[in-house]
Amino acid sequence: MREQQIVGAGLSGMVAAMNLAREGYQVTVRERRQTIGGLTNLPGLEGRIINIGDGSPIDLERMKAYTGIDFAPVAVPLKSCRNHVYGRQFDLTFYEGVPTYLVERGPRPTSIDVYLYELALAQGVQFSFGDTVSDFESLPPDTIIATGLFGESWSELEVPHLPVYGYLAMGEIDEEDAKVVIYFDEYTRDYAFYSQVNGCRGACLFSRGKPLGVEVKDRFRNQLADNEGIEFDHWDAVSIGALPVATWRNPRLFAKNYILSGTLSGSMDPFLLFGVHGALVSGKIAALAVRDHQAGLQEFKRVNKYYLQGYLIALAYQKMPLWLLQRITWTGIRNYPWLAPLMKTRVFKMLPGFARI
Ligand SMILES: Cc1cc2nc3c(=O)[nH]c(=O)nc-3n(C[C@H](O)[C@H](O)[C@H](O)COP(=O)(O)OP(=O)(O)OC[C@H]3O[C@@H](n4cnc5c(N)ncnc54)[C@H](O)[C@@H]3O)c2cc1C
């Protein structure tokens, strides 16, 4: 039986593992955490678990056909969201052509992480927990590296990246409904959001490339409390990790002798930074690349075709004067009802694979 190592038991690592196990590989996934979705030990978050809802557009039927995995049991539909855009509030009902979901991340039985883990175990995948890979040179060629935003792999594998910083708050809520509130404000050229799903809730304010002053956290915290009545006991200043948005050539399937997968491979849209969709799709592509480098590379390029477009939009957004940015964003969001059909063909096609699987 052929053996295959995968580093990282996150979304892309587990999709890759299952696809290879189905084809008869003996797969071992090496994971730094002690349990699935457990303690991350991110700088600033020692001793805390990231248990939060990640939002993403996903076409569940096409994703199932592509990866061979049915995500419906852990994808909670999200029909609308509230946006606070430079001081103005807009409630949007999502365009039905772009089905949107929240997936819970973390160690609870309702999370996507635990769901994938159990499916992978049932398919014979082996896991080695508490197993931090730091000596990449010792890995066999074609090992899949799927270490996400976390850790040292970016520098070790010489993958260009931008650090991402933020403030994070998490807790529980006595409410099952899924909900998202997003803030675009002058304190970050990215955004801040609150999400709740399956009774867990979290808020995250982040910024690519630049650490944020503590006054920014206080401002967001007050906005959430004043506008939405949402409060948390505790906020952490976190170094969230690395993002594949440092250059227009970021996406790459191979580095040194290894196959990359998930966010590390650049399978993230560079503008809104949705990482879930690309991670699921790229897990499948990494498995394909184990069998056939050329076929994998071809598929990787096809799926990431719109990266450059997203990169340039993100660059313009980061550099634009604030007054212009505010006007463009307000106008766009006010005209959302008739712009919505363009979301599928223009905006979300930048998500790796969204319009192409
Ligand atoms: C707070 C937060 C909120 C987010 N919100 C959203 C959202 O709303 N929508 C969205 O689309 N995306 C969101 N993301 C991004 C999304 O979570 C990631 O892009 C996605 O999980 C990437 O999947 P992956 O498979 O590449 O990595 P992950 O799912 O992160 O898995 C990587 C795994 O590798 C392990 N690992 C790392 N280094 C090593 C090592 N050296 N040795 C062994 N194991 C290692 C990690 O412990 C982890 O289990 C968010 C991220 C964060 C942190």
Side-chain angles (χ1 to χ4, degrees):
M1 196 183 249
R2 290 160 298 178
E3 292 185 0
Q4 177 67 35
Q5 280 197 36
I6 297 177
V7 184
L11 300 182
S12 59
M14 287 197 280
V15 170
M18 273 187 262
N19 274 276
L20 288 164
R22 270 188 227 127
E23 290 171 24
Y25 284 79
Q26 176 61 60
V27 183
T28 304
V29 181
R30 301 177 60 183
E31 167 57 47
R32 72 190 298 166
R33 305 187 207 198
Q34 298 295 336
T35 61
I36 276 294
L39 281 179
T40 59
N41 286 331
L42 278 180
L45 208 64
E46 285 88 355
R48 306 246 289 147
I49 285 167
I50 298 187
N51 187 207
I52 196 168
D54 283 2
S56 181
I58 308 176
D59 182 325
L60 291 177
E61 280 307 310
R62 283 193 294 145
M63 187 61 90
K64 181 178 169 186
Y66 193 77
T67 58
I69 299 164
D70 183 8
F71 293 94
V74 283
V76 181
L78 192 64
K79 298 289 178 210
S80 60
C81 91
R82 172 163 292 175
N83 297 267
H84 293 273
V85 182
Y86 300 103
R88 298 185 189 172
Q89 182 181 312
F90 300 87
D91 287 326
L92 297 186
T93 302
F94 291 136
Y95 168 55
E96 59 191 24
V98 182
T100 303
Y101 299 89
L102 277 174
V103 290
E104 180 185 337
R105 303 300 308 272
R108 305 190 325 163
T110 41
S111 75
I112 187 171
D113 303 75
V114 170
Y115 174 71
L116 289 176
Y117 173 60
E118 285 174 354
L119 287 180
L121 279 181
Q123 290 182 17
V125 174
Q126 292 178 354
F127 288 82
S128 167
F129 287 107
D131 188 358
T132 302
V133 173
S134 46
D135 179 11
F136 286 84
E137 302 294 321
S138 66
L139 295 170
D142 281 354
T143 295
I144 295 176
I145 318 276
T147 48
L149 292 81
F150 305 87
E152 312 71 26
S153 352
W154 298 78
S155 309
E156 283 287 329
L157 299 170
E158 295 165 16
V159 180
H161 55 281
L162 278 188
V164 56
Y165 304 93
Y167 289 101
L168 195 56
M170 287 167 294
E172 292 184 356
I173 186 166
D174 207 8
E175 200 179 302
E176 286 298 309
D177 288 350
K179 175 173 166 180
V180 167
V181 184
I182 299 174
Y183 281 82
F184 291 91
D185 217 314
E186 36 193 78
Y187 42 64
T188 173
R189 280 295 166 102
D190 288 292
Y191 54 94
F193 68 91
Y194 166 84
S195 70
Q196 67 180 50
V197 65
N198 303 334
C200 76
R201 62 184 196 140
C204 183
L205 163 62
F206 67 95
S207 156
R208 68 184 83 184
K210 291 189 276 266
L212 297 164
V214 75
E215 70 287 352
V216 169
K217 173 196 74 178
D218 291 339
R219 179 132 170 242
F220 176 48
R221 190 169 63 175
N222 291 337
Q223 284 174 323
L224 267 183
D226 296 345
N227 301 331
E228 304 293 330
I230 294 168
E231 296 189 49
F232 291 91
D233 298 337
H234 183 80
W235 287 79
D236 291 296
V238 190
S239 178
I240 296 176
L243 293 173
V245 293
T247 77
W248 65 274
R249 296 166 67 97
N250 245 108
R252 60 198 64 203
L253 181 60
F254 303 107
K256 300 197 170 167
N257 278 330
Y258 311 116
I259 296 170
L260 306 186
S261 188
T263 298
L264 180 65
S265 71
S267 299
M268 174 179 252
D269 90 89
F271 180 42
L272 292 168
L273 305 176
F274 282 110
V276 167
H277 198 280
L280 302 178
V281 168
S282 70
K284 164 77 184 189
I285 297 174
L288 173 59
V290 168
R291 284 179 278 116
D292 182 340
H293 277 198
Q294 209 43 45
L297 187 58
Q298 209 176 334
E299 180 62 356
F300 186 80
K301 284 184 178 164
R302 193 183 73 80
V303 156
N304 286 288
K305 184 168 178 207
Y306 297 107
Y307 180 88
L308 176 60
Q309 191 175 318
Y311 178 81
L312 293 175
I313 292 173
L315 201 62
Y317 192 86
Q318 297 284 326
K319 303 276 179 217
M320 206 177 278
L322 189 63
W323 65 268
L324 182 58
L325 191 62
Q326 286 177 338
R327 272 157 193 75
I328 290 176
T329 325
W330 282 330
T331 308
I333 222 155
R334 240 194 326 264
N335 290 303
Y336 176 80
W338 70 269
L339 285 176
L342 294 179
M343 299 298 276
K344 186 168 184 172
T345 53
R346 294 280 173 265
V347 181
F348 289 118
K349 79 172 186 191
M350 290 183 279
L351 253 74
F354 186 72
R356 316 210 103 210
I357 57 169

